[in-house]
Amino acid sequence: MGTILLNNQFIDRSQGTVDIEDRGYQFGDGVYEVIRIYEGKMFTGDEHLTRLFESAEKILLDLPFTKEELLGNLLRLIEKNSLNTGIIYLQVTRGASVRQHQFPAASEAVLTAYTKEVARPEEQLNQGVTAIVADDVRWLRCDIKSLNLLGNILAKQEAFSQGSFEAILHRDGTVTEGSSSNVFIIKNDQLLTHPATNLILNGITRREILRLCADIGLNYKEESFTLDQLNDADEVFIASTTAEVMPVVQAGDTIVGNRKPGKWTTKLQAALKDSIQQQCGELVHSKG
Ligand code: PDD
């Protein structure tokens, strides 16, 4: 929308420019976050900002602001754009310098952030979506929310071209995560999801879901599962900031749960919605 944040400045989107030697642009040398806004308020904002600082530390990038300063600016950005339901996208790159692979001796990190109206995907949440299954060809530091997303976007494009919502990724038959989400299965009243290792992004929605399992009385294990287990699951869902708890009713060639969202998935959707409403107030708008 209209106003964007560039470092410490609020400017009109049309005034926002990128240096052609910005390392984010040339190398994907930076990190990012996507934060959900409901009813004009951030959901799990603190967790996202903490993860941003952790990602930055993992790529040896010093952020020239504190979490509190950034939070203050993001709140102002929401207000300036009168955002009700949507997202904040923010990224920090290592800044601009003459192209060389090693870090420049001196460059200043560049922060950009903007807001976008994004409605809750209610129809898909009610009906579920389909997913393809694809090889996870990404690097071995998927725990970093890095701007380098080629492996993710190639998988997502493959899903999209086959009319699917997501690509469920696996390494040698072990399911890791989705191209832009975490993946969960439920078998015999137990939820399984890949542990938070270097092979997945530890999603903020994932953490929230594991916390909510206790509330709804669902056993869970952070334990990896195979493609065979995926095909044999009672329920499958994916989760992310924008997709929430999204039922998967077909994974590859396998129809899940008669093509209907399962009972635990539905309970988790409701529990997540409650948690959102506790933080952001009653959800009265579904659109921006
Ligand atoms: N993606 N795994 C990957 C690879 C992701 O890109 C994402 C989120 C997640 C879920 O993380 P979270 O619950 O914190 O959103 C897991 C965001 C939404 C994106 O790139 O647009």
Side-chain angles (χ1 to χ4, degrees), residues 32-34 48 51 89 138 142 145 149 152 166 169 177-182 200-207 239-243:
Y32 78 103
E33 279 297 328
V34 180
H48 282 278
R51 187 173 63 185
Y89 174 83
R138 300 172 303 160
C142 297
K145 203 158 169 65
L149 288 174
N152 305 64
E166 182 56 302
L169 305 177
E177 61 179 338
S179 73
S180 64
S181 61
N182 293 115
I200 69 157
L201 182 76
N202 186 2
I204 305 298
T205 321
R206 173 188 181 281
R207 302 178 206 182
S240 79
T241 294
T242 45

Side-chain angles (χ1 to χ4, degrees), residues 141-207:
R141 292 307 306 276
C142 297
D143 54 310
I144 302 172
K145 203 158 169 65
S146 141
L147 293 176
N148 278 280
L149 288 174
L150 264 178
N152 305 64
I153 63 173
L154 289 173
K156 181 71 96 185
Q157 178 57 28
E158 184 59 30
F160 187 77
S161 68
Q162 294 187 35
S164 279
F165 184 86
E166 182 56 302
I168 293 177
L169 305 177
H170 71 95
R171 289 188 195 262
D172 295 326
T174 298
V175 174
T176 50
E177 61 179 338
S179 73
S180 64
S181 61
N182 293 115
V183 180
F184 305 74
I185 60 169
I186 294 160
K187 181 71 184 173
N188 297 335
D189 299 320
Q190 184 176 59
L191 177 143
L192 292 182
T193 194
H194 196 286
T197 65
N198 60 310
L199 298 183
I200 69 157
L201 182 76
N202 186 2
I204 305 298
T205 321
R206 173 188 181 281
R207 302 178 206 182

